[in-house]
Amino acid sequence: MLEEQKCRILGKCKIVNFPKITDFRGNLSFIEEKHQIPFEIKRVYYLYDVPSGATRGGHAHKELQQLVIALSGSFDVVLDDGYDRRKFFLNRPHYGLYIPPRVWRELENFSSNSVALSLVSQVYDEADYVRDYDEFKRMIENGWK
Ligand code: TYD
């Protein structure tokens, strides 16, 4: 595989800023599909009551795209495309992390009372998951066939 192809997937992971309307009554942010995020939202789920020291994720997706937001509190998202690894710290509800398909992710270091909101491009389908890291590496080597 060419060097530039190796780097490409992690390079597509990025922080997305949402509009923030500040007001003495409290702030408001909004997300519109295809404007702030590059996919149609098919499902929303959220992690909460995460015990201190717990790790979530630990998988990659074949097709699913995702946007993760720290609606409350903070946590780290460690992303790995099989060649490079990068850690993102999320702690504000007016930005999120876009994760394209074929990226291994782990969510860790949850603060107390944190809420991790995910907007995703597919309904739940276990067949889209790769939950074993060695299999993830094999999928990369085989071009995800
Ligand atoms: P899991 O994928 O392990 O959570 P995470 O990767 O975010 O830590 O999901 C935990 C369980 O919840 C697993 O049995 C699948 C189920 N689940 C659903 O039924 N629907 C969903 O939308 C999600 C995200 C998980």
Side-chain angles (χ1 to χ4, degrees), residues 43 45 47 56-57 59 124 129 131:
R43 176 166 53 107
Y45 70 91
L47 301 170
R56 301 294 314 223
H59 57 75
Y124 180 75
Y129 282 75
R131 292 191 184 270

Side-chain angles (χ1 to χ4, degrees), residues 2-20:
L2 295 170
E3 274 305 311
E4 61 187 78
Q5 285 177 324
K6 288 180 181 178
C7 304
R8 226 187 308 167
I9 296 180
L10 209 55
K12 288 180 184 168
C13 302
K14 59 178 182 197
I15 295 290
V16 181
N17 278 297
F18 311 127
K20 180 180 175 189

